[in-house]
Amino acid sequence: MIDYHRFCQIKHLHTHEGLNASQIAQAVSLDRRTVAYWLTQEYFRPRTPRPHASKLDPFKSDIVRLLERHPYSAVQVFQRLREHGFAGSYELVEAYPYSVI
């Protein structure tokens, strides 16, 4: 994927220098098909990351319930989640924002 600066560079080389997609690709070290695609675009659209589910998502309500009852440490929460089938890492549990609870 390209950034805004590279997009502007491609457009400039095409519009002001009169270079074709192959020439631009060689000048900016990109594939010709990538350059050809961006030449067809009117404006730059950055790629938006797709949200993905966390292994922790199904257990978040359990974490809230546990912490409402007792001030467990991340290690204790992790141990209890493992007992209920959690397959994620300790670091994932530790990074969960306990201050939100």
Side-chain angles (χ1 to χ4, degrees):
M1 200 59 174
I2 68 168
D3 59 9
Y4 182 71
H5 173 73
R6 183 63 56 97
F7 172 77
C8 292
Q9 186 180 20
I10 290 168
K11 289 294 197 172
H12 174 78
L13 290 171
H14 180 69
T15 306
H16 298 290
E17 304 292 327
L19 301 180
N20 64 30
S22 295
Q23 293 167 327
I24 296 169
Q26 190 173 25
V28 297
S29 301
L30 288 173
D31 188 87
R32 179 192 53 78
R33 292 170 294 188
T34 302
V35 172
Y37 168 80
W38 285 104
L39 285 174
T40 65
Q41 303 302 305
E42 275 190 55
Y43 56 91
F44 179 71
R45 291 175 294 118
R47 178 180 257 172
T48 54
R50 294 183 183 150
H52 61 279
S54 167
K55 288 183 179 183
L56 197 57
D57 285 347
F59 298 94
K60 287 183 178 178
S61 60
D62 295 335
I63 293 172
V64 170
R65 273 188 266 117
L66 283 171
L67 294 175
E68 283 176 345
R69 285 188 262 152
H70 302 286
Y72 289 122
S73 68
V75 173
Q76 292 169 314
V77 170
F78 176 69
Q79 290 170 342
R80 282 166 178 71
L81 293 180
R82 295 289 282 194
E83 293 168 1
H84 291 90
F86 177 65
S89 68
Y90 165 73
E91 289 77 17
L92 186 59
V93 174
E94 183 182 39
Y96 184 70
Y98 293 99
S99 60
V100 175
I101 299 170

